[in-house]
Amino acid sequence: MKRIFSGIQPTGEIHLGNYVGAIRNWVSLMDEYDCIFCVVDYHAITVEYEIDKLGSRTVDTALILLASGLLPEKCKILVQSHVPEHTELAWIFNCVTPIGELERMTQFKDKSKQHRANINMGLMGYPVLQAADILLYKAGFVPVGEDQVQHVELSREVARKYNSRYGNLFPEPQAILSVAPKILGVDGASKMSKSMNNYIGLLEETNSMWEKLRTAVTDVSRVRRKDPGNPDVCNIYTIHRAFSPNNMLLEVDKGCRNAAIGCIDCKTMLFKNMMEELTPIREKAAALKENPHYIKDVINEGASKCSAIARETMYEVRQAVGLFSKK
């Protein structure tokens, strides 16, 4: 089967943006591809983080992946740091990746602005490690949102640079673009994220979720209830597109444009549809929390299976670059 690799950081509570933009799509790919899904904890330490919580957040992230529908019998779920070949290959890729390519990365520029006191080599080399994550398993496909396409293209460039110098070993991975709408945070201005405190967590208390949605920014030009709105510029309607059926989308679109429904009405309808989809996930997550050994068994098994692939790849890489073998 064609192989997929994708990863998610354990940087905090998994939110609607993570679920709609990535995890839900991963579940749909399991039957068609040989899938490897990774909790990328090394990526998470490129910015300031709570050291004492990284381990528990790693397990919690794996828990949500399982609760959302990923099946260990149909895919491999692992933790990045459990397979040391990820960072070994990243070092070799560092030696073929031009610095200029990394300086042009949009995410590096954005994060450098957000973390001015900690602009480190890991932050700049983030996409090189990402290339190593993908190419270690010779994955040909990477499911991503539009904001990550640039990183997949760099992975292709790294593969070309390596292959040109050392021989044709790695495929040039292709991006599989998510068809999910891009969800902004409840501020309606920036990407939903824990660091921006504009997120709705997948496992948040129900009342907290509703309060965040109730006060979320809508079409800023709709000041009063009787003002007509424009769903095309409203983030709440974008979230509707992720959770509501077509007949309701048409109803909301029409009702917003002619002011037949208010923003609270719109949000109430959305919240009902959100909870219909998310409640089974939340219930399964609660059950999994009672069985932490199962989660650890899943990620240990994933690491074992992926280590076998990684060792084979790194043997080929070391041979190709001329490293002295200890055998």
Side-chain angles (χ1 to χ4, degrees):
M1 296 176 70
K2 297 170 289 186
R3 180 169 290 159
I4 272 179
F5 179 95
S6 198
I8 185 169
Q9 288 194 47
T11 50
E13 193 169 355
I14 302 300
H15 52 68
L16 290 186
N18 302 133
Y19 173 71
V20 171
I23 299 171
R24 187 164 65 178
N25 188 38
W26 294 357
V27 173
S28 70
L29 295 169
M30 286 189 301
D31 290 325
E32 187 178 350
Y33 294 88
D34 172 16
C35 294
I36 299 174
F37 299 120
C38 188
V39 183
V40 288
D41 50 350
Y42 277 141
H43 285 291
I45 67 174
T46 58
V47 297
E48 293 293 335
Y49 66 100
E50 296 174 280
I51 298 171
D52 59 332
K53 293 184 178 179
L54 180 60
S56 61
R57 284 177 172 170
T58 297
V59 174
D60 287 345
T61 301
L63 178 151
I64 288 183
L65 296 183
L66 292 167
S68 297
L70 292 183
L71 302 173
E73 59 269 27
K74 289 189 174 183
C75 66
K76 304 172 189 68
I77 302 171
L78 76 150
V79 175
Q80 184 183 33
S81 63
H82 292 183
V83 180
E85 287 85 355
H86 282 257
T87 47
E88 182 182 1
L89 183 57
W91 175 256
I92 291 173
F93 283 169
N94 278 333
C95 299
V96 299
T97 305
I99 290 177
E101 295 284 349
L102 301 179
E103 290 175 332
R104 285 192 285 272
M105 292 289 106
T106 301
Q107 187 167 321
F108 172 67
K109 294 176 182 178
D110 291 344
K111 287 199 172 183
S112 295
K113 292 176 183 176
Q114 293 176 30
H115 305 279
R116 293 183 185 277
N118 185 29
I119 303 175
N120 55 70
M121 283 301 298
L123 198 60
M124 176 176 278
Y126 184 109
V128 179
L129 178 55
Q130 194 172 51
D133 295 336
I134 298 164
L135 295 173
L136 182 62
Y137 304 105
K138 299 182 181 179
F141 301 89
V142 188
V144 291
E146 288 186 7
D147 60 327
Q148 288 289 317
V149 169
Q150 189 182 35
H151 282 185
V152 178
E153 182 53 44
L154 182 77
S155 297
R156 291 167 56 79
E157 179 65 19
V158 169
R160 284 193 290 267
K161 293 282 188 184
Y162 177 94
N163 291 343
S164 175
R165 184 170 182 181
Y166 297 114
N168 191 28
L169 178 61
F170 294 111
E172 294 184 21
Q174 305 288 327
I176 299 177
L177 280 175
S178 171
V179 296
K182 182 180 179 181
I183 293 178
L184 300 178
V186 292
D187 56 4
S190 53
K191 184 177 177 180
M192 186 174 286
S193 74
K194 178 83 170 180
S195 62
M196 299 291 288
N197 196 29
N198 64 355
Y199 70 99
I200 297 177
L202 221 60
L203 303 184
E204 270 193 72
E205 291 291 331
T206 305
N207 289 341
S208 175
M209 293 177 74
W210 166 243
E211 185 59 22
K212 287 183 178 181
L213 186 64
R214 185 186 69 81
T215 57
V217 172
T218 56
D219 177 3
V220 294
S221 65
R222 193 175 189 192
V223 179
R224 295 175 295 274
R225 168 69 171 76
K226 64 181 181 180
D227 294 334
N230 181 4
D232 296 335
V233 298
C234 180
N235 188 46
I236 298 302
Y237 187 74
T238 302
I239 305 176
H240 257 295
R241 288 170 50 210
F243 288 100
S244 300
N246 287 334
N247 62 327
M248 183 172 289
L249 291 177
L250 293 172
E251 178 185 348
V252 170
D253 183 283
K254 181 179 179 180
C256 179
R257 292 183 191 276
N258 63 20
I261 64 172
C263 292
I264 292 297
D265 300 321
C266 175
K267 291 173 179 178
T268 301
M269 297 161 72
L270 169 59
F271 190 67
K272 178 178 181 293
N273 293 331
M274 278 174 47
M275 297 313 296
E276 282 183 1
E277 180 168 341
L278 297 182
T279 295
I281 295 172
R282 291 156 63 87
E283 290 174 347
K284 186 172 182 180
L288 286 169
K289 282 186 178 180
E290 300 299 317
N291 190 7
H293 293 295
Y294 171 73
I295 301 167
K296 292 177 181 178
D297 287 345
V298 168
I299 57 181
N300 287 339
E301 181 182 8
S304 177
K305 291 178 178 179
C306 289
S307 289
I309 303 169
R311 284 194 297 269
E312 184 176 330
T313 299
M314 285 312 303
Y315 175 79
E316 295 176 288
V317 169
R318 294 187 204 106
Q319 293 288 109
V321 302
L323 296 173
F324 178 73
S325 174
K326 67 180 182 180
K327 291 184 178 180

